[in-house]
Amino acid sequence: MFLRLVKGALFRQKKKMLMIAFTIALGASLATAMLNVMLDVGDKVNRELKTYGANINVLPKEVSLLDDLYGVSDGSGVLSESELGSLKTIFWAFNIVDFAPYLNVKARISGRDGEFRLVGTWFANHLELPTGEALDTGINNMKSWWSVEGEWPAGDDASAAMAGSIAAERAGLAVGDVISVSTGGGNGESVSLTIKGIFAAGSDEDERIYVPLSVAQGMAKRPGAVSSVEVSALTTPDNELSRRAAQNPKSLSVKEWETWYCTAYVSAICYQIEEVLTDSVAKPIRQVAESEGAILEKTQLLMLLITILSLAGAALGISNLVTAGVMERSREIGLLKALGAGNAPVSRLILTEILITGVVGGVAGYFAGLGFAQIIGQTVFGAAINIKPMVIPLVAILVFLVTLVGSVPSIRLLLSLRPAEVLHGR
Amino acid sequence: MALLDIKGISKIYGSVKALQNIDLAVEQGEWLSIMGPSGSGKTTMMNIIGCMDKPTDGKVILDGIDISAESARNLTAIRRDKIGLIFQQFHLISYLTALENIMVAQYYHSMPDEKEALQALDRVGLLERAKHLPSQLSGGEQQRVCIARALINYPMLVLADEPTGNLDEVNEGIVMDIFRQLHSEGSTVVVVTHDPEVAEEAQRTVILEHGRIARITYNVGRESRKGE
Ligand SMILES: Nc1ncnc2c1ncn2[C@@H]1O[C@H](COP(=O)(O)OP(=O)(O)OP(=O)(O)O)[C@@H](O)[C@H]1O
Ligand SMILES: [Mg+2]
């Protein structure tokens, strides 16, 4: 009979129940969308921020000093290209998003005056890692904000080059031109390269011509050598511990050291890079590394606030609808009481109805929310949001609580109803 | 001992004295009418007898229990077990069929029993309307469903507040037939009415005025008929 009562109430008052279910669905969909986006926004924001470039620079030990003094390295680097894959084997391997090696060579372009600065690098490199995984990395990822005329060279194109806008102007280069380059004295063998793209970076990179790393190594006669590596890593904002560690890791106690090592502080990641690359010095490019973490935290806080507010709104809406529903049904409820139903059975009946409506609304809302999350992902980040299964129990609990809290006023109203008053229309 | 013994009850709403010092006893098996002008306290008295309200003063003894001293929870139980209520407006649950409306009363009383509920509908001549919703029934039919519901748990006391107030003559006749039958089966019936013809059917008519019993008339014709 209880079931018949509930069924009757649900199916023969479809409109009202659908309205409540709709409100719950709205709240649930907001919660689903916001939670999914919030949990995924870390990756997204980081990926956005990464477009501002690398946040760690790795140099060979002896060059590091020169670089500190003059801001240039002369290509006498001793980092080994073959070791680079091990960057993805450090404790924070997962946080290393991208990296690109560089090798500088001074060269002449036949038919043009003066020396040009050639930089060997990976445009797009497919790397088989020692761990068995594979990684695609290179400056096409790292320098995604460059505005490029023409196109990014393919990773396996050994005769492609990209000229910075200033260098291109100086040498009168256009996309599609074939150039012949050779080192300093003109006695080295010349290599012919096709200009695939001309880029504007808005920095001194515009004065350079980027060539495949193997080409630069060949011209410099330093096979396998790399003069510097730029690394883009996801980091945790610095705190007092990480600042102390950055100054001198040895000043930490064992416990502090462990905490530091196992936190994605930029200094800890640098330290771990130095551990795997022989004779290297890794230095954070500070400002960016710090702001990434801070912006991320603020974004997440903002989203959390919006989620809480939207849920509070939903609770209020549900509360209003359910209360209105109960008031409309006060006669019916008074009648049930007059027929001998106590407060407990009546509350149970109303709660069951609301909870069933809540489940229907919640499930519908969850799926609608997944849709909203994707819309947010596409419009804000231009990428799909990863769906986190953990959101399901969260939304379920939230919907349950919000529905319950929303129906408290109506249940109280209902308990205070006196059959004598409602049944005689007073 | 009388089934219902009202001893000096008053009901006061703020400055309104709805009932003042009423004394009345109703015997088992009696059919009593209550008449009186609007606002004289008829409904107030029915609510108190029907365990839906408490008197400000005085005692009401129903089947040996002082219902003026019981808690709301106990009153609900007493109402459920001993009283069948019929209202002027036909209070049915709009989303339940005629049959289900009757079964609800069974459900909160003890156990829903579809067969018994169908018999009750048959008794008020609505067997073929069992699956209809209240909105698909005429006023008279709705009131008959209410009566069937009030009787389903074999109440020792049937209280009807203007049961025919909203009915035409034909339906009034049908409803009165049901009351007559109830009475002949030994039920105790209290009916509030404005209709003298309806009141006359009872053995006794109590006339209220300004919350007091103005007079009591005995309907001799009914009395003799009872003995037949
Ligand atoms: N809950 C209440 N609060 C205040 N006054 C009330 C309340 N209930 C009834 N009254 C007053 O008590 C008096 C008796 O009301 P009651 O409903 O018993 O009259 P009645 O005899 O049933 O009238 P009617 O024939 O119009 O139904 C009226 O004056 C009414 O205004
Ligand atoms: Mg009345």
Side-chain angles (χ1 to χ4, degrees):
Chain A
M1 190 67 224
F2 185 72
L3 284 181
R4 269 171 108 159
L5 267 170
V6 171
K7 237 172 62 191
L10 290 179
F11 289 107
R12 297 193 187 124
Q13 315 185 96
K14 274 203 205 85
K15 247 199 199 147
K16 264 183 256 165
M17 291 304 171
L18 279 178
M19 204 52 216
I20 297 177
F22 181 74
T23 314
I24 295 173
L26 211 65
S29 68
L30 269 169
T32 308
M34 288 321 236
L35 285 174
N36 266 313
V37 172
M38 194 172 89
L39 293 178
D40 202 38
V41 78
D43 285 1
K44 292 282 176 292
V45 167
N46 271 309
R47 222 139 265 164
E48 288 284 308
L49 287 171
K50 197 168 59 80
T51 59
Y52 296 108
N55 50 8
I56 295 172
N57 198 17
V58 190
L59 293 171
K61 219 173 224 164
E62 63 263 37
V63 179
S64 156
L65 187 67
L66 267 173
D67 190 66
D68 275 353
L69 291 176
Y70 307 110
V72 279
S73 60
D74 64 353
S76 62
V78 286
L79 289 177
S80 160
E81 183 184 1
S82 59
E83 278 182 0
L84 294 185
S86 55
L87 281 176
K88 289 295 274 185
T89 63
I90 66 168
F91 186 84
W92 284 109
F94 187 69
N95 283 37
I96 305 256
V97 197
D98 251 312
F99 54 90
Y102 301 104
L103 181 64
N104 297 335
V105 195
K106 297 225 164 63
R108 296 186 164 278
I109 302 174
S110 68
R112 270 83 171 181
D113 290 336
E115 278 199 325
F116 288 84
R117 187 166 171 192
L118 262 52
V119 182
T121 188
W122 295 339
F123 289 115
N125 190 34
H126 184 76
L127 204 59
E128 299 288 344
L129 299 177
T131 56
E133 293 162 76
L135 175 74
D136 287 292
T137 179
I139 61 169
N140 65 338
N141 286 334
M142 296 265 293
K143 310 288 184 184
S144 53
W145 78 96
W146 281 3
S147 81
V148 175
E149 176 196 336
E151 59 181 10
W152 285 96
D156 53 1
D157 188 345
S159 64
M162 270 187 108
S165 53
I166 296 173
E169 200 175 324
R170 220 181 101 204
L173 298 176
V175 174
D177 284 359
V178 178
I179 53 170
S180 177
V181 296
S182 57
T183 43
N187 42 11
E189 62 196 274
S190 63
V191 181
S192 92
L193 299 167
T194 310
I195 303 289
K196 289 281 179 173
I198 293 174
F199 65 85
S203 68
D204 59 357
E205 288 164 338
D206 288 343
E207 295 162 19
R208 303 174 193 169
I209 297 173
Y210 284 80
V211 301
L213 185 61
S214 56
V215 169
Q217 285 167 345
M219 290 172 71
K221 305 217 163 47
R222 307 189 69 134
V226 169
S227 57
S228 71
V229 181
E230 277 185 356
V231 180
S232 173
L234 307 181
T235 62
T236 305
D238 273 320
N239 59 11
E240 192 264 329
L241 173 68
S242 72
R243 275 187 278 274
R244 264 199 299 144
Q247 277 170 5
N248 182 10
K250 297 201 176 63
S251 69
L252 305 179
S253 71
V254 176
K255 208 161 163 223
E256 285 176 325
W257 193 86
E258 254 166 37
T259 314
W260 169 73
Y261 193 88
C262 298
T263 310
Y265 296 123
V266 68
S267 52
I269 294 178
C270 285
Y271 184 85
Q272 290 165 15
I273 290 175
E274 289 170 5
E275 283 180 331
V276 295
L277 297 185
T278 320
D279 287 335
S280 66
V281 174
K283 283 191 179 160
I285 304 163
R286 271 291 170 192
Q287 293 79 350
V288 178
E290 267 175 7
S291 62
E292 284 191 21
I295 289 178
L296 182 59
E297 275 182 0
K298 280 182 189 147
T299 315
Q300 277 176 328
L301 183 66
L302 187 70
M303 310 224 26
L304 190 67
L305 282 177
I306 295 175
T307 311
I308 291 172
L309 282 180
S310 57
L311 279 177
L316 224 68
I318 294 166
S319 167
N320 273 344
L321 276 175
V322 173
T323 310
V326 166
M327 288 211 305
E328 250 174 69
R329 290 168 68 186
S330 60
R331 250 175 51 138
E332 167 202 332
I333 287 152
L335 178 64
L336 288 181
K337 284 186 165 184
L339 290 178
N343 281 336
V346 174
S347 310
R348 204 180 325 133
L349 178 66
I350 300 289
L351 271 181
T352 308
E353 286 176 28
I354 296 172
L355 285 182
I356 290 177
T357 320
V359 168
V360 172
V363 169
Y366 174 75
F367 287 105
L370 293 187
F372 285 146
Q374 294 313 335
I375 293 175
I376 294 176
Q378 290 301 341
T379 49
V380 180
F381 302 108
I385 299 284
N386 287 329
I387 303 307
K388 303 277 195 299
M390 158 198 183
V391 170
I392 297 178
L394 270 178
V395 168
I397 291 170
L398 284 175
V399 165
F400 182 78
L401 285 182
V402 162
T403 316
L404 218 57
V405 168
S407 17
V408 165
S410 60
I411 299 286
R412 288 181 50 168
L413 179 81
L414 194 153
L415 296 187
S416 70
L417 279 180
R418 288 160 36 107
E421 286 169 15
V422 284
L423 291 182
H424 295 291
R426 282 187 186 122
Chain B
M1 193 182 68
L3 174 67
L4 176 70
D5 199 354
I6 297 172
K7 289 178 177 166
I9 59 163
S10 301
K11 180 74 186 178
I12 295 163
Y13 295 109
S15 59
V16 181
K17 290 178 181 156
L19 290 176
Q20 298 179 61
N21 203 17
I22 302 270
D23 285 301
L24 185 67
V26 181
E27 294 298 327
Q28 174 87 47
E30 187 178 353
W31 181 344
L32 177 81
S33 289
I34 300 177
M35 288 188 78
S38 187
S40 56
K42 306 183 293 292
T43 298
T44 306
M45 189 151 130
M46 290 297 257
N47 283 343
I48 291 172
I49 302 172
C51 298
M52 302 212 287
D53 214 341
K54 283 187 183 186
T56 317
D57 249 324
K59 268 189 185 179
V60 182
I61 315 276
L62 175 64
D63 194 26
I65 303 167
D66 181 359
I67 58 173
S68 46
E70 290 292 340
S71 69
R73 174 190 284 260
N74 286 347
L75 286 180
T76 302
I78 294 168
R79 180 166 67 235
R80 185 180 64 208
D81 294 338
K82 301 188 193 291
I83 296 172
L85 290 166
I86 300 162
F87 309 96
Q88 178 175 7
Q89 285 122 12
F90 334 116
H91 290 296
L92 291 173
I93 295 172
S94 59
Y95 54 81
L96 294 182
T97 62
L99 179 66
E100 286 166 345
N101 262 290
I102 295 172
M103 287 170 70
V104 167
Q106 291 177 316
Y107 172 67
Y108 286 116
H109 179 261
S110 47
M111 280 274 286
D113 178 340
E114 186 157 347
K115 229 176 90 202
E116 210 181 9
L118 282 169
Q119 278 168 7
L121 271 180
D122 193 21
R123 189 164 172 199
V124 296
L126 288 174
L127 188 56
E128 70 282 12
R129 315 302 300 263
K131 296 270 183 274
H132 288 216
L133 290 173
S135 56
Q136 297 164 325
L137 298 174
S138 76
E141 288 164 342
Q142 288 182 42
Q143 186 63 305
R144 277 143 70 192
V145 175
C146 289
I147 294 172
R149 182 182 60 199
L151 304 182
I152 190 69
N153 296 319
Y154 306 102
M156 53 179 58
L157 178 59
V158 177
L159 299 178
D161 194 347
E162 298 188 45
T164 57
N166 283 328
L167 298 183
D168 68 1
E169 241 165 88
V170 179
N171 276 298
E172 185 182 304
I174 297 173
V175 168
M176 289 319 291
D177 278 343
I178 298 170
F179 279 124
R180 254 174 240 128
Q181 200 192 342
L182 266 181
H183 179 240
S184 71
E185 287 166 3
S187 288
T188 312
V189 183
V190 178
V191 179
V192 167
T193 184
H194 282 291
D195 185 342
E197 267 178 58
V198 171
E200 249 169 43
E201 298 267 354
Q203 293 153 298
R204 205 156 51 126
T205 303
V206 170
I207 292 147
L208 289 182
E209 266 166 32
H210 305 297
R212 295 175 189 276
I213 296 183
R215 57 187 183 283
I216 299 178
T217 60
Y218 292 84
N219 304 311
V220 186
R222 274 298 286 138
E223 197 63 41
S224 63
R225 236 183 296 158
K226 194 199 170 195
E228 282 167 15

